[in-house]
Amino acid sequence: MSKYVELDTDTASNSGSITLTGITSDYPLVVAHYNSVLPVTDGADLMFRMHEGGSDNSNTNYNSGVAYQRSDRDFDDEDGDNLGLGDRNAVNLTGSTHDGTGQGSAGIIYIHNASNGSEATYVQSETVYLTDGSPFMLGQNAGTVLREATTVTGITLFFDTGNISVGNFKLFGLKN
Amino acid sequence: MATKEELQAQADAEIEAAKPITKSVSGVVSEFSDEDYAQAKVDLGNKKWNDQQFGYIQARKEAYGSIADQLDMQYWDAVNDTTTWKDHVAKVKSDNPKPE
């Protein structure tokens, strides 16, 4: 019987980045979970990169498609609520997030084929957060492919400006 | 508008001022490596450039409002011979100018 195994856990405290590791060929599906994540800088975007060995992959080989759910609209049918992001060197988990205490973002990131060095790495992410300024809720569903046949061993999360003030992070692997 | 080089210089200075920045890898906290600092500068420089050059697009989309609301404005403009929608669009554009 398959079961989830906790691979890594961490807590941010004014951290520049958080890297969760432990992905091996034992886990064709890995799930990263984070909650209560706040930026030091209001309006910062939460991002991720794949971690390979001792470093993050910042090549411009990440392609994403993003759909938003917004509490300020009835339907996500406006131009701009669906985004295509090609040839990026990192992937957005959120747009501009709120830095209000007790109002951090949360999400789940599913990572497929990570440790298979002969295939691309596929990622699905589901996040929810409050926007900066006068906050309203945004949900974000995205699909991402790292178009490299590399061996991914972990994931690194960071904000595009400023540090991660607080937040809880865990990585689980589905063991066959 | 700042040049890309000027924005990169600002980003470099901000990262330098923020030192030391720490990272946590599997719970082991250490200071950014030289490569990490270099990447952080590139990332922040790119963000500043993208915000300056393309931020107005998203800002305009947010400010225009829904298509339904704009159609409603156009309907009542036609009924009342007013220019509410045209004025609204003009204000959104002037409030969020396209970089030169």
Side-chain angles (χ1 to χ4, degrees):
Chain A
M1 178 181 291
S2 300
K3 63 178 181 180
Y4 279 104
V5 177
E6 183 176 305
L7 303 178
D8 204 355
T9 184
D10 206 350
T11 302
S13 177
N14 195 27
S15 307
S17 64
I18 295 288
T19 300
L20 301 171
T21 66
I23 301 173
T24 70
S25 58
D26 289 337
Y27 310 103
L29 170 62
V30 174
V31 180
H33 167 259
Y34 64 90
N35 71 316
S36 304
V37 176
L38 284 173
V40 169
T41 306
D42 194 33
D45 297 5
L46 187 61
M47 317 281 291
F48 76 83
R49 287 187 172 116
M50 293 292 107
H51 189 76
E52 299 170 357
S55 61
D56 300 331
N57 185 329
S58 58
N59 297 332
T60 55
N61 288 323
Y62 296 91
N63 282 19
S64 296
V66 184
Y68 291 101
Q69 297 82 48
R70 307 173 55 125
S71 65
D72 64 332
R73 294 179 185 163
D74 291 336
F75 302 99
D76 58 326
D77 61 351
E78 302 292 332
D79 183 23
D81 285 348
N82 297 286
L83 299 176
L85 305 170
D87 299 332
R88 301 302 177 102
N89 69 5
V91 180
N92 279 72
L93 285 167
T94 71
S96 301
T97 58
H98 192 46
D99 65 348
T101 302
Q103 298 179 328
S105 59
I108 293 177
I109 308 164
Y110 302 91
I111 309 169
H112 307 266
N113 299 338
S115 70
N116 188 336
S118 61
E119 290 188 26
T121 296
Y122 293 76
V123 180
Q124 300 160 270
S125 53
E126 302 170 4
T127 65
V128 60
Y129 60 100
L130 290 171
T131 61
D132 60 339
S134 300
F136 61 85
M137 187 285 299
L138 272 176
Q140 182 171 317
N141 287 14
T144 298
V145 177
L146 171 58
R147 296 176 291 104
E148 292 183 28
T150 52
T151 302
V152 170
T153 57
I155 183 171
T156 295
L157 297 99
F158 58 100
F159 279 108
D160 66 347
T161 181
N163 286 351
I164 304 170
S165 177
V166 294
N168 306 307
F169 304 84
K170 285 185 180 292
L171 188 68
F172 300 92
L174 183 63
K175 192 174 182 63
N176 285 329
Chain B
M1 296 293 170
T3 65
K4 191 165 188 177
E5 290 71 25
E6 289 171 339
L7 292 174
Q8 186 60 61
Q10 290 177 21
D12 293 351
E14 288 181 26
I15 295 297
E16 287 295 328
K19 284 184 176 180
I21 301 173
T22 59
K23 61 182 178 181
S24 180
V25 179
S26 296
V28 178
V29 178
S30 61
E31 186 176 356
F32 270 19
S33 66
D34 290 344
E35 291 76 18
D36 294 328
Y37 278 122
Q39 186 65 55
K41 289 176 180 177
V42 170
D43 289 345
L44 187 55
N46 287 339
K47 172 183 169 54
K48 289 178 178 295
W49 176 251
N50 289 332
D51 285 351
Q52 175 183 282
Q53 295 302 113
F54 310 114
Y56 80 97
I57 297 174
Q58 188 62 33
R60 285 183 178 183
K61 286 175 178 172
E62 298 289 339
Y64 282 141
S66 72
I67 292 173
D69 287 344
Q70 292 187 67
L71 287 172
D72 190 62
M73 285 183 210
Q74 292 179 1
Y75 169 78
W76 288 111
D77 280 345
V79 169
N80 298 324
D81 194 25
T82 56
T83 60
T84 304
W85 176 74
K86 184 178 175 183
D87 296 343
H88 168 67
V89 172
K91 185 174 189 309
V92 169
K93 288 182 182 295
S94 64
D95 286 349
N96 303 282
K98 184 178 181 179
E100 296 298 328

